[in-house]
Amino acid sequence: MDIDKVNKMVKIDFKESLKKALPEIFEDGKINLEKLKSLLGDEFIEKEDDRFYFNWADKRNIFKLIQTPAYGTLKPDREKSVDFEKTENIVIVGENLETLKLLLKPYFGRVKMIYIDPPYNTGKDFIYNDNFDVPLRDYLEKTGQIDSDGKKLTTNTEASGRYHSDWLNFIYPRLFLARNLLRDDGVIFVSIDDNEVHHLRMIMDEIFGEDNFVSEFCWKSRGGRQDSKYVAVIHEYILLYRKSNLFMVGEMQKEGGNYPYFDEVRNRRYKRQLARKWGSHSHRWERPNLFYSLIAPDGTEVEPRLPNGEDGCWRWSKKKMEEEIKNCSIEFVKEDNQWVVYEKIYEPKEGEIVTKKFTTWLDDVNNIAYGTNELSGLFSNKPPFSFPKSTILIERLLSIANTVDNSIILDFFAGSGTTGQALWALNKEDGGDRKFILFQLDEPVGETKETGKNALSLGLKTVADICIERLRRASEKYKGEIASSLAAPRDGEKGNSSDFGFKVFRLDKSNFNLKDEFKIPVEEDIEDLKQKYLNWLGAWIDQSLVHGVKNIDVVYEIMLKEGFNLNSKVEELQIKNTNFYHIQDIEQELDFYVSLDEEIDKKTIEEIRTAKYRNKTFIFLDKSLTDDDKINLTAFIRLKVI
C-alpha cells in the first residue's frame, strides 16, 4: 500500500525547477545536455575561460552545501515570547543557514525586504563553521547534540590562509537562499565595510544579477575614529539589490527637484506623479476596493491598468479621488492615445519643510553612537551590546524599500534586534502593519567587554538573549506610549493597533526518528557519528518519534516541513474519542488535521469518512492505523503518516 509520508527534511531541488521550466531537456529523469545546448545556442559557455567569473577555494562545493537537506526543526518558546497567540512577529534562536532552509517552503517568495548586518571579516569576527561533506555532523552540531571541539563558531583570521575564501563560502549560500524568500518586488540591503565590500558586490551580482544592483549607499557610521593607518575611517556601506524590475523605490520628494509644469489657477509650478498605485499590492485582486472608473475630459472611462495590461488599482479611495479632482489636484494627460491620470505635486513655497532626497551618502540617519544611546535608554544606561545600528537608519531603509501593507521584513543576523525595534517605531508612526522575522545565533556574549559584563549582570548569556530582552522592553515602551493620551490619534488620523508582540522559536533537533534519512558518504568518522545518534535514540530506535518530545513541537515541525507558515492557527479538538490538532494557514488557504494518539478507535475512523471531512488532509502515526484503516480512509481523505 502506497501511503504518503510526512516530510522529514527540507531540500532545494534544482532538477524539479528545471523540469517545470524546460521539460523537453529531460530523458528518463536525467538532463540531456545536448538538448540543453541546442536550446541555448550561442548562450552556452563551453569553457570557464570563455567568460569573466569570480572564483575562490571551495566555491565548487557551495551548491552541495545549499542542497544539503535541513533536518532540524523550530520549537516554540512561549515563556520568552510576548503575546504568542496574537502576534505575527517572529524571533528565531539558532544558526541561520539551517533556519533559512526550514523557511523555504512556507515563506518562498513572501518577504518584501531583507536587511542583514553580517560579520565584516575583520579578523576578529566569528563566522559559522559550515560543513560541506558530512550532513550528519552538520545536523548534530547545529542542533546541539554534539559539538566540534566544543564550539559552534570559529574566528576567521588572516593567518588561516583562506581568509577571504572562508568568508565567501560562509556568506554565499545564505544570500542564495535569502533570494528565494524575496517577493518579485522585494529587495535586500547588506551592511559591510571595506574588508569585503568588493567581493560582496561580485557575489551579489552573481546571485541577484548585475541588472538588479540598485545602489551602494555610503553610511556615516561613526564620528572621527582615528585608529586607521592613514585616514580616519568613519563610514560603512549598505548594498541594495532588487529581486526583479518589479521593485519600485519608496516615494521620495527631492529637495530642489524639477517642477516642469505650471498651474495658472494656483500660480504654482508642479510635477506629476501617477495616481495609479505601483509597486507592492498594486493589483486589482489585492486591493479590489481601489479599482473603479474615472471619467476623462472627453467623457471616456479610465481604469487603472498596469503596464502589462492587467487590472491595477488607484492609490486612493473613490471618495478621496473625487475630492482631489474637485480640488484640481488631479490631471488627465493623453499619452499614446490613452488617458493617464496624475497627481499634481506642487513646488514647495519658501520656508516649507521638504523631505530630503535619498542619496548615496547617508549622513542624516544617526550613527552607531546613537544606536548605543538607544540601547542605553532601554537598559538603564548599561547597554549590553556593542556597536548596534540606529533604528533611524533601518527606518530609512524600510522607507526606501517601499514596505507597506503587511510587508514581511527579514533579518537573519539580528544582533541586538535593531531591525525589530525600528519596524515597530515606523509602524507606530504611520499606523503600518509590517511584520518581522529575526534570526540570531545563541552566541555567547564576550566577558571581557563592558557591554558583555552588562549583559551577564542582567542574566543575558547570549546575543539571542539580548535581542529577545531588547524587544521585550521596546514592546513595553511602545505599548505604554500608544496607551497614553499623548499618543492618541489626531483628527483625520487612523488609530494605532500595531502588533508589539513576538513569537520565539528555537532551532533544535528533529522530533522525528531520522535514522534512515541521512545519506552518509564514506568517511572514517561517520560510523561513530551515526552510532552516537542511534545511542541517543536508545530504546525508541524503531519508533516514529523521538522519546519525550512534546506534541506541540511535533505539530510545528509538521507545519514547517509541509510548507505552513509559523503564524498558522493551531486549534486543539476531538473527533469522537481521538485528540487532534487542526492547523490552518489562512494566507495560503491550507489546513490539515493531525493526531499523535497511538490508537485510533473505529468511531473516529467512521466520523472522518463522512462528507464533513471529505478530501481534507489527515496525519497519523503510522503504527496507530491498521492496514484496513488506511484503505478505508484513503478513499475519503488525503492520508499521511509519520
Side-chain angles (χ1 to χ4, degrees):
M1 188 187 318
D2 189 16
I3 302 291
D4 287 340
K5 293 186 177 181
V6 169
N7 295 310
K8 293 186 178 180
M9 65 178 183
V10 177
K11 182 178 181 181
I12 291 183
D13 194 334
F14 295 112
K15 190 169 75 172
E16 285 303 313
S17 299
L18 267 178
K19 274 186 179 178
K20 291 179 182 178
L22 298 169
E24 62 271 30
I25 68 173
F26 283 85
E27 293 178 357
D28 296 326
K30 295 185 178 181
I31 298 173
N32 184 321
L33 195 57
E34 294 305 317
K35 281 190 176 181
L36 180 59
K37 286 181 179 180
S38 65
L39 281 174
L40 296 176
D42 293 339
E43 301 298 319
F44 198 92
I45 296 173
E46 293 287 348
K47 299 178 181 179
E48 288 290 323
D49 292 343
D50 293 340
R51 68 181 179 93
F52 171 80
Y53 63 98
F54 181 35
N55 198 23
W56 61 86
D58 266 340
K59 183 182 181 181
R60 66 187 181 279
N61 288 318
I62 282 178
F63 283 95
K64 185 192 299 184
L65 177 63
I66 290 171
Q67 292 181 83
T68 299
Y71 294 105
T73 188
L74 301 178
K75 296 183 179 180
D77 185 342
R78 290 173 180 267
E79 184 180 343
K80 293 293 185 181
S81 304
V82 173
D83 300 332
F84 188 95
E85 299 298 339
K86 299 178 181 179
T87 185
E88 295 183 32
N89 298 309
I90 293 167
V91 177
I92 299 172
V93 179
E95 192 277 332
N96 56 18
L97 183 60
E98 181 93 348
T99 304
L100 284 167
K101 292 179 181 180
L102 290 174
L103 296 192
L104 273 179
K105 291 177 73 174
Y107 292 96
F108 185 91
R110 292 187 56 207
V111 173
K112 170 61 176 171
M113 170 185 149
I114 298 172
Y115 169 74
I116 59 171
D117 185 12
Y120 287 0
N121 208 23
T122 62
K124 300 176 182 178
D125 297 313
F126 285 119
I127 64 172
Y128 310 154
N129 188 19
D130 299 319
N131 193 307
F132 289 125
D133 302 314
V134 191
L136 179 56
R137 176 183 292 281
D138 199 45
Y139 168 73
L140 294 173
E141 288 178 4
K142 288 176 180 175
T143 55
Q145 295 176 47
I146 64 172
D147 59 16
S148 176
D149 299 324
K151 295 181 180 179
K152 291 182 182 178
L153 307 169
T154 59
T155 305
N156 192 33
T157 64
E158 293 186 37
S160 70
R162 294 162 51 94
Y163 180 61
H164 293 296
S165 294
D166 283 349
W167 188 86
L168 292 167
N169 288 327
F170 155 74
I171 200 69
Y172 192 106
R174 290 164 172 83
L175 290 173
F176 182 93
L177 294 171
R179 182 186 179 277
N180 287 276
L181 296 177
L182 282 175
R183 292 171 13 179
D184 287 340
D185 65 342
V187 292
I188 181 171
F189 296 89
V190 184
S191 284
I192 199 69
D193 71 359
D194 287 313
N195 288 284
E196 296 290 354
V197 63
H198 44 305
H199 293 145
L200 182 61
R201 276 287 299 268
M202 295 179 78
I203 62 173
M204 292 190 74
D205 281 348
E206 185 171 311
I207 294 170
F208 290 87
E210 292 183 36
D211 292 344
N212 290 317
F213 168 73
V214 178
S215 182
E216 181 175 305
F217 295 100
C218 193
W219 170 51
K220 184 181 179 183
S221 58
R222 52 180 56 85
R225 192 178 79 177
Q226 301 294 327
D227 58 353
S228 52
K229 187 173 181 180
Y230 298 110
V231 296
V233 178
I234 63 170
H235 71 279
E236 295 176 10
Y237 305 98
I238 301 175
L239 301 188
L240 169 57
Y241 280 74
R242 64 186 185 184
K243 175 77 174 288
S244 75
N245 60 7
L246 293 180
F247 166 66
M248 296 288 292
V249 72
E251 293 184 28
M252 299 180 294
Q253 185 176 346
K254 295 183 179 179
E255 188 175 26
N258 185 27
Y259 297 84
Y261 311 106
F262 186 75
D263 187 329
E264 295 183 357
V265 175
R266 297 193 182 184
N267 194 32
R268 291 180 68 177
R269 303 195 67 82
Y270 68 94
K271 59 185 177 182
R272 294 169 177 158
Q273 182 169 269
L274 280 175
R276 173 181 59 77
K277 201 173 190 308
W278 63 87
S280 62
H281 294 263
S282 57
H283 291 82
R284 178 180 183 175
W285 60 267
E286 294 174 295
R287 300 296 295 273
N289 60 315
L290 297 183
F291 181 89
Y292 49 85
S293 298
L294 298 176
I295 305 301
D298 63 357
T300 59
E301 289 190 350
V302 182
E303 296 177 334
R305 303 287 181 194
L306 297 171
N308 62 5
E310 294 180 3
D311 288 351
C313 57
W314 302 111
R315 289 167 45 217
W316 301 319
S317 68
K318 189 171 184 178
K319 181 180 179 181
K320 179 172 172 57
M321 183 70 81
E322 289 172 348
E323 291 174 354
E324 294 299 327
I325 291 173
K326 287 181 182 178
N327 293 334
C328 298
S329 297
I330 294 295
E331 185 171 27
F332 291 80
V333 179
K334 204 69 171 287
E335 295 178 354
D336 297 329
N337 208 32
Q338 291 183 331
W339 288 105
V340 180
V341 185
Y342 288 99
E343 175 194 8
K344 295 179 180 179
I345 306 295
Y346 289 96
E347 184 177 24
K349 295 179 180 179
E350 186 175 349
E352 282 187 344
I353 297 175
V354 182
T355 303
K356 288 187 177 180
K357 62 182 178 180
F358 296 126
T359 71
T360 54
W361 177 244
L362 297 176
D363 60 352
D364 62 336
V365 291
N366 301 106
N367 57 25
I368 285 171
Y370 184 88
T372 301
N373 289 336
E374 286 183 312
L375 207 56
S376 294
L378 289 174
F379 286 91
S380 303
N381 295 319
K382 291 185 177 181
F385 188 83
S386 301
F387 311 122
K389 298 291 189 288
S390 77
T391 57
I392 306 300
L393 170 66
I394 307 303
E395 285 186 57
R396 173 67 62 84
L397 303 185
L398 288 164
S399 297
I400 294 173
N402 199 18
T403 59
V404 292
D405 298 329
N406 206 27
S407 297
I408 296 175
I409 315 303
L410 171 65
D411 182 347
F412 52 92
F413 290 95
S416 69
T418 301
T419 298
Q421 185 177 347
L423 181 147
W424 280 344
L426 190 57
N427 280 351
K428 176 176 171 290
E429 178 184 324
D430 65 9
D433 53 1
R434 305 165 187 86
K435 310 298 179 188
F436 62 68
I437 303 176
L438 309 181
F439 306 174
Q440 179 52 48
L441 185 71
D442 50 346
E443 173 188 343
V445 298
E447 298 182 20
T448 58
K449 296 180 180 178
E450 186 62 33
T451 52
K453 293 176 182 177
N454 291 342
L456 291 171
S457 70
L458 294 168
L460 307 176
K461 297 179 181 180
T462 70
V463 177
D465 290 340
I466 295 170
C467 177
I468 291 169
E469 181 61 17
R470 175 187 187 160
L471 293 174
R472 187 189 67 78
R473 294 182 181 217
S475 172
E476 291 179 355
K477 173 178 182 287
Y478 292 136
K479 284 178 179 177
E481 291 175 356
I482 291 294
S484 72
S485 58
L486 294 175
R490 295 189 292 261
D491 291 342
E493 293 182 342
K494 62 179 178 178
N496 196 307
S497 58
S498 293
D499 174 3
F500 294 116
F502 56 93
K503 293 183 174 81
V504 176
F505 292 85
R506 295 182 183 275
L507 178 66
D508 207 337
K509 51 189 173 289
S510 175
N511 301 287
F512 301 138
N513 183 335
L514 301 175
K515 68 183 178 68
D516 298 321
E517 299 295 321
F518 295 110
K519 295 181 179 179
I520 308 296
V522 178
E523 297 266 343
E524 58 180 351
D525 63 343
I526 290 300
E527 289 307 316
D528 179 56
L529 282 172
K530 190 169 185 179
Q531 192 58 51
K532 285 182 179 179
Y533 181 66
L534 298 180
N535 291 342
W536 177 71
L537 288 173
W540 290 269
I541 196 168
D542 294 321
Q543 302 297 311
S544 300
L545 300 175
V546 173
H547 175 61
V549 298
K550 297 178 181 178
N551 283 355
I552 193 63
D553 291 344
V554 178
V555 169
Y556 271 98
E557 181 162 6
I558 295 171
M559 283 167 50
L560 266 179
K561 292 179 178 175
E562 293 294 312
F564 285 60
N565 77 69
L566 290 169
N567 287 318
S568 297
K569 182 180 178 183
V570 180
E571 178 187 9
E572 293 186 57
L573 50 84
Q574 277 197 323
I575 300 178
K576 293 302 181 181
N577 298 319
T578 304
N579 299 305
F580 281 88
Y581 291 89
H582 183 209
I583 317 304
Q584 299 176 77
D585 185 330
I586 306 300
E587 293 185 22
Q588 299 187 76
E589 297 182 348
L590 299 172
D591 75 323
F592 68 86
Y593 295 82
V594 56
S595 174
L596 299 175
D597 288 3
E598 296 193 0
E599 293 183 9
I600 310 297
D601 66 24
K602 298 305 177 184
K603 289 183 179 180
T604 301
I605 301 292
E606 290 172 8
E607 177 66 18
I608 292 173
R609 282 167 49 84
T610 60
K612 180 179 179 180
Y613 298 108
R614 179 176 285 277
N615 295 325
K616 292 288 187 180
T617 299
F618 277 78
I619 299 172
F620 298 92
L621 296 176
D622 192 18
K623 67 180 182 180
S624 70
L625 300 174
T626 66
D627 286 347
D628 286 342
D629 292 336
K630 294 174 184 176
I631 292 170
N632 288 333
L633 286 172
T634 51
F636 283 83
I637 63 170
R638 299 180 183 127
L639 176 62
K640 286 194 168 189
V641 296
I642 303 172

